[in-house]
Amino acid sequence: MQTGLTGFMNAVVCLCLVNSVILSQAADNMEGDVALSERPIRQSHSLCAGEKEYVHKRKQIVLHSLNTLEINCTAASVPHIALLASGGGQRAAVGLVGFLHQMEKEGLLDTLLYLGGVSGSTWSMASLYNDPQFSTNMDAAVSRLLDSPSVKLEQAVDWLGERAKEEHFSLADIWGVLTSAGIMKQMDLRCLSDEANRNATNPYPIYCATEKHCFTHGPIEGKWFEISPHEAGFTELGLFIETSLLGSKFQNGTLLEKKKEMDMVKLQVSNAAVRANKTSNTCLPQSAANKKNIVRVTVILLYVCRCVCNWLYKVNHSQTEFVEAASMEERKTLFNQWSQELRVAVETWSQSLDDGAFKTHVSFLIKEVIPLIAEWKWGPTGNFLYQYQVSSVPACLYSNERLQLIDAGLVINVPYPSFLGDKRDIDLIIAPEYSAGNMFEDCYVLEGKEKEPTIIYMPLFNRRNCKDAEEFKAKMDEFSTFQRPFSQEKIKFVLETGKENVKNNKETLLKEINKAALRRHNKWKAGEP
Ligand SMILES: *[C@@H]1O[C@H](CO)[C@@H](O)[C@H](O)[C@H]1NC(C)=O
Ligand SMILES: *[C@@H]1O[C@H](CO)[C@@H](O)[C@H](O)[C@H]1NC(C)=O
Ligand SMILES: *[C@@H]1O[C@H](CO)[C@@H](O)[C@H](O)[C@H]1NC(C)=O
Ligand SMILES: *[C@@H]1O[C@H](CO)[C@@H](O)[C@H](O)[C@H]1NC(C)=O
Ligand SMILES: *[C@@H]1O[C@H](CO)[C@@H](O)[C@H](O)[C@H]1NC(C)=O
């Protein structure tokens, strides 16, 4: 039965990606605008108040941790250390959990001020941060990954069947099943901005994405998008809104209140209260909650699209090139053709099932789901920079009512842009690099200069755990980015490899953390903040 789910997933995922290339705009479901606030957009290259406060609290924990490691440091000179997790599908998602687990065992996890991610790693981040105390309890995170029973196909299909009866059934529901059930083995969810008021037990999380319009025809400043529990916005432009407002309707910098339909946010399995009230048009808190959920959907979307991109690239490069070069009309034709192929594939699969309630569900879904895919029925993510008359807003953002956040891995597979420069003023970046690529290297240190942070680069498979380039290549193939959800053995292997990465390089890590503390101390002596 697992196999069935996986096959179905793959087919749907594929088509969704293709469609996202074809149709960049979703239907506008927004209605009922009411002026709410004058100037909700923050333009600045410094930290927002919420992050500043969190970081301040987190530094006390970092200080304590450094002192425990016998690293000389005072409250005024706590180094800014960020762990930047790469993309790389389930390999990156699982590897990161192993890495953090060992960081905790070695007493290193609490030296981190920040945890940033793109693509695959945002997946395990979303899952880890579900636990407000995960940093002190990585054993639990590992056992969730290893011992949770897989979500049964029947359960997933039942769930989808229930959602499909509702008014606003959409692709968001499908993604929920694909990702939560299929890979992370849970169907949980929450809102990112709920984390805004947490204490600083965990490093501060930053999720990164890229904006599609700017990615294809915009200036570099419009490309990088970051989402934290407090703010969402364009790193390089320095334009942000509160995370709970991501997806709201804006014009010329003014927030227009809206009652957002549930299309985008129905990935939720458990958020019954929000759903139950979705038609009651009354509560602002709920509509804010809905918008917050967009973040969650986005993060998951990023991951899945990334996997499929790699996969498409691998199976048929000429085909993806063709799609990229095709006109809108050609793309639509191609898409319709693939849509038909999907329908046939799924119908064939469902015919092989035994008669019964389950088969009925599946047939029902075929009727409900495929048309959604054909329409690419997603809710919109409102663009807060729409017609915002400020000179720094590029045309790619000024003129589009909606943002389209896509996988940052398409730009760069490690979230460096959010962590370079004065804003977060990072001293040391620890970069477990778990993306695909032809690197057969070992851990190495890129020494920082006055402004630039030092980077410890740590590939998952490397010269230490692979005897030669051939074994390296075999490992990368075995754990390739796009494949069926890993078996238990594969999960274990990647977890262990992530742990080993930390164990093998503990000395290097400690040495660089020490240097980072010294560097910060010198900055402090020189009178810098
Ligand atoms: C620790 O730093 C203080 C100044 O911040 C210095 O006086 C002291 O000698 C240092 N101790 C060690 C062991 O480096
Ligand atoms: C942080 O909050 C959690 C509850 O989410 C609590 O259990 C924990 O004790 C708090 N830690 C600190 C250091 O305040
Ligand atoms: C946009 O907002 C600015 C600042 O409030 C204002 O000066 C300008 O007239 C507005 N433009 C339009 C078209 O409303
Ligand atoms: C839905 O909203 C109504 C009115 O705002 C409230 O009385 C009710 O308790 C809400 N239902 C749920 C399930 O939260
Ligand atoms: C790849 O895609 C192109 C364009 O659709 C097609 O002509 C070609 O036959 C495909 N190759 C394979 C190996 O599927």
Side-chain angles (χ1 to χ4, degrees):
M1 278 307 183
Q2 258 332 94
T3 312
L5 176 60
T6 311
F8 180 61
M9 275 168 61
N10 291 355
V12 175
V13 164
C14 252
L15 207 67
C16 289
L17 175 83
V18 170
N19 218 353
S20 76
V21 174
I22 296 164
L23 305 170
S24 59
Q25 301 279 311
D28 190 349
N29 295 317
M30 298 187 282
E31 51 192 56
D33 305 327
V34 176
L36 183 79
S37 163
E38 285 298 299
R39 293 277 135 192
I41 298 174
R42 191 177 78 96
Q43 178 155 29
S44 165
H45 286 280
S46 50
L47 299 183
C48 67
E51 181 174 338
K52 216 182 262 175
E53 195 189 326
Y54 192 106
V55 162
H56 179 73
K57 283 190 280 180
R58 178 72 188 161
K59 280 187 174 180
Q60 293 157 24
I61 293 172
V62 175
L63 177 62
H64 179 75
S65 153
L66 293 174
N67 289 337
T68 309
L69 291 165
E70 298 181 339
I71 291 173
N72 203 1
C73 179
T74 63
S77 61
V78 175
H80 299 190
I81 304 176
L83 183 92
L84 304 193
S86 74
Q90 195 176 4
R91 181 185 61 243
V94 174
L96 176 63
V97 174
F99 196 96
L100 290 170
H101 184 270
Q102 196 62 32
M103 291 275 286
E104 189 200 353
K105 299 300 156 226
E106 307 287 354
L108 296 172
L109 207 161
D110 277 342
T111 66
L112 302 177
L113 200 53
Y114 286 101
L115 177 55
V118 295
S119 196
S121 59
T122 60
W123 248 55
S124 44
M125 279 174 67
S127 169
L128 287 168
Y129 279 90
N130 210 12
D131 174 0
Q133 309 266 76
F134 81 82
S135 291
T136 57
N137 198 10
M138 283 302 299
D139 282 342
V142 165
S143 37
R144 260 199 311 278
L145 213 50
L146 279 177
D147 306 328
S148 302
S150 295
V151 176
K152 291 262 189 313
L153 175 61
E154 286 84 346
Q155 192 189 341
V157 172
D158 276 355
W159 180 82
L160 273 176
E162 283 305 306
R163 298 290 82 74
K165 286 181 204 153
E166 291 179 7
E167 190 186 345
H168 305 294
F169 184 56
S170 84
L171 288 178
D173 296 290
I174 300 170
W175 288 126
V177 171
L178 291 180
T179 52
S180 297
I183 297 185
M184 294 315 275
K185 296 204 226 161
Q186 51 184 207
M187 310 240 298
D188 84 294
L189 80 130
R190 70 183 187 290
C191 307
L192 185 54
S193 59
D194 290 349
E195 294 175 27
N197 297 318
R198 283 186 181 177
N199 62 31
T201 305
N202 299 322
Y204 192 72
I206 312 266
Y207 297 84
C208 299
T210 190
E211 206 289 316
K212 184 170 179 258
H213 303 115
C214 293
F215 175 67
T216 45
H217 358 260
I220 186 92
E221 299 80 30
K223 292 189 206 297
W224 197 261
F225 197 90
E226 62 183 45
I227 312 170
S228 78
H230 295 98
E231 274 195 341
F234 293 88
T235 311
E236 273 141 287
L237 294 171
L239 288 164
F240 300 93
I241 42 150
E242 275 180 31
T243 297
S244 59
L245 294 176
L246 180 61
S248 293
K249 190 173 186 175
F250 286 82
Q251 193 172 14
N252 192 16
T254 301
L255 169 63
L256 310 171
E257 210 269 310
K258 69 185 181 352
K259 283 131 214 143
K260 181 125 182 16
E261 296 208 355
M262 290 295 290
D263 283 9
M264 272 289 285
V265 301
K266 288 240 313 246
L267 129 112
Q268 294 78 0
V269 185
S270 55
N271 213 343
V274 171
R275 182 172 300 114
N277 261 346
K278 69 175 184 284
T279 49
S280 84
N281 287 352
T282 47
C283 295
L284 211 146
Q286 277 157 17
S287 109
N290 295 351
K291 288 162 211 152
K292 284 181 268 182
N293 289 330
I294 291 165
V295 173
R296 170 93 179 173
V297 177
T298 304
V299 165
I300 287 169
L301 234 177
L302 304 182
Y303 168 80
V304 180
C305 284
R306 176 66 175 160
C307 294
V308 179
C309 277
N310 288 347
W311 179 74
L312 276 179
Y313 187 83
K314 205 166 132 190
V315 290
N316 194 342
H317 193 191
S318 55
Q319 210 155 13
T320 40
E321 275 182 343
F322 171 73
V323 170
E324 271 158 28
S327 71
M328 197 53 114
E329 278 314 302
E330 286 169 325
R331 288 177 181 191
K332 280 188 176 159
T333 310
L334 187 66
F335 165 70
N336 284 335
Q337 183 191 326
W338 287 353
S339 175
Q340 280 306 316
E341 284 171 18
L342 175 76
R343 182 191 285 268
V344 171
V346 177
E347 276 175 359
T348 309
W349 167 64
S350 74
Q351 277 157 17
S352 71
L353 299 171
D354 295 334
D355 283 333
F358 178 64
K359 185 170 180 171
T360 313
H361 275 319
V362 171
S363 312
F364 178 62
L365 282 178
I366 292 169
K367 278 199 226 95
E368 297 291 331
V369 172
I370 295 190
L372 286 178
I373 295 171
E375 288 168 46
W376 193 234
K377 193 174 169 189
W378 282 99
T381 302
N383 175 10
F384 63 95
L385 298 179
Y386 177 58
Q387 294 188 349
Y388 188 36
Q389 294 186 326
V390 164
S391 61
S392 53
V393 175
C396 54
L397 296 172
Y398 183 86
S399 57
N400 282 300
E401 266 188 84
R402 283 171 291 275
L403 289 180
Q404 203 154 5
L405 299 178
I406 57 173
D407 190 337
L410 296 169
V411 180
I412 177 172
N413 217 5
V414 178
Y416 292 118
S418 294
F419 296 90
L420 299 175
D422 293 337
K423 180 171 173 180
R424 299 197 167 99
D425 194 17
I426 301 297
D427 298 297
L428 174 64
I429 288 176
I430 300 171
E433 166 60 273
Y434 293 175
S435 39
N438 291 320
M439 305 151 286
F440 177 48
E441 290 164 353
D442 200 357
C443 166
Y444 67 79
V445 176
L446 261 137
E447 194 82 43
K449 302 204 190 71
E450 213 167 294
K451 284 274 178 197
E452 299 82 25
T454 290
I455 298 172
I456 309 179
Y457 168 90
M458 303 171 75
L460 183 68
F461 299 122
N462 51 55
R463 287 189 183 276
R464 203 187 276 245
N465 59 24
C466 300
K467 67 176 186 303
D468 54 22
E470 220 162 288
E471 186 184 341
F472 170 80
K473 192 181 170 304
K475 288 256 175 64
M476 286 309 282
D477 284 348
E478 186 181 355
F479 296 93
S480 66
T481 305
F482 189 83
Q483 55 174 280
R484 289 181 172 181
F486 287 176
S487 65
Q488 190 84 347
E489 287 65 40
K490 278 190 170 178
I491 293 175
K492 271 190 199 149
F493 186 85
V494 175
L495 272 174
E496 287 308 315
T497 310
K499 291 183 196 174
E500 289 295 319
N501 285 177
V502 175
K503 263 191 229 163
N504 291 339
N505 296 296
K506 190 184 172 189
E507 292 312 309
T508 306
L509 287 165
L510 275 173
K511 190 168 136 209
E512 294 306 323
I513 291 170
N514 228 316
K515 281 199 219 159
L518 193 61
R519 175 188 160 121
R520 179 59 50 179
H521 178 75
N522 291 337
K523 276 189 195 172
W524 171 72
K525 270 207 318 215
E528 289 179 36

